[in-house]
Amino acid sequence: MKIFKLSSKLFASAFALLVITNVVILLGVYINRSSETTSEVTLTQRELQPPSSIRKENNSVSLRLIYRTANNLNRSHQDNFLNIDKLKELGFDTDKYLYSKDGTRTPTKELFIVLENDGELYKKSLKSAEAALMEKEALYNANKDDKKKQGDYKNAKNNFTREQISQSRLFAIDAGLEYEGLRQKYPNKANYLIVKGVVGLVKYYKEKTLYGYIQRLNVQTVHLPYKFKYLLKDIEPINSHNNTRNTSLQYKIEVKYGSRYEPFITSVKRIY
């Protein structure tokens, strides 16, 4: 009998905890959506990618937000906006970690991060890929028997095609301590998302400097409401690294960010 009573109490406690947890989650969702919209953008499967399969009727579906940074373009940190001056502005004690001789673990900090949608940085990326293609094509045409030049030309051509049809057009371009200051700097809510994320530090001993990197976004997946699920059930995810087929956009999704800087989907449109 005692065991039964103890089990009943444990069950009641677990059930109460579950109810409280769900109430807290639903309250957070309500607060996020009922207040001011902090960002509002239209994205495609290039920026919001589906999982490998969404055909099962009952499973929950989340789309993954894909973004890039400037230093990914040329695999260099020289174009990284999170340079040492910016890190100081963001409140990092750079001297402590730059001049320490031991293996001091570098800190992380939660910040607001600006994501530019289909803007100047994407245009720069596209032009860079096109310029590389023209260069490799000229070298290949000058000596078509050279296997290396042939391979370089093929890779450049594929890279340019990926930039045109499958690579994400979202780029992280700035970070700050407060939303309001960044929104004044980037007032267009449709072109600039302001989201929360975590920034860390990397120490370059050879150059004797520090650079920051985005460790993660606080929310990098967006729940797809069930009423929109049927629109995407036959769509395969894009592999931006391998996809070179001349495929057109398959869907557009309107995403809003609420007062808690968390995203939610308001509209899905298939493009046939």
Side-chain angles (χ1 to χ4, degrees), residues 129-148:
E130 185 178 18
L133 172 60
M134 294 175 65
E135 177 187 355
K136 300 303 181 183
E137 184 177 20
L139 292 173
Y140 167 64
N141 288 333
N143 187 357
K144 293 190 176 183
D145 294 328
D146 190 317
K147 297 297 183 182
K148 184 178 184 306

Side-chain angles (χ1 to χ4, degrees), residues 217-231:
L217 300 184
N218 284 12
V219 182
Q220 199 160 330
T221 59
V222 188
H223 173 70
L224 179 68
Y226 184 82
K227 64 181 179 180
F228 298 131
K229 186 177 175 181
Y230 77 97
L231 291 170

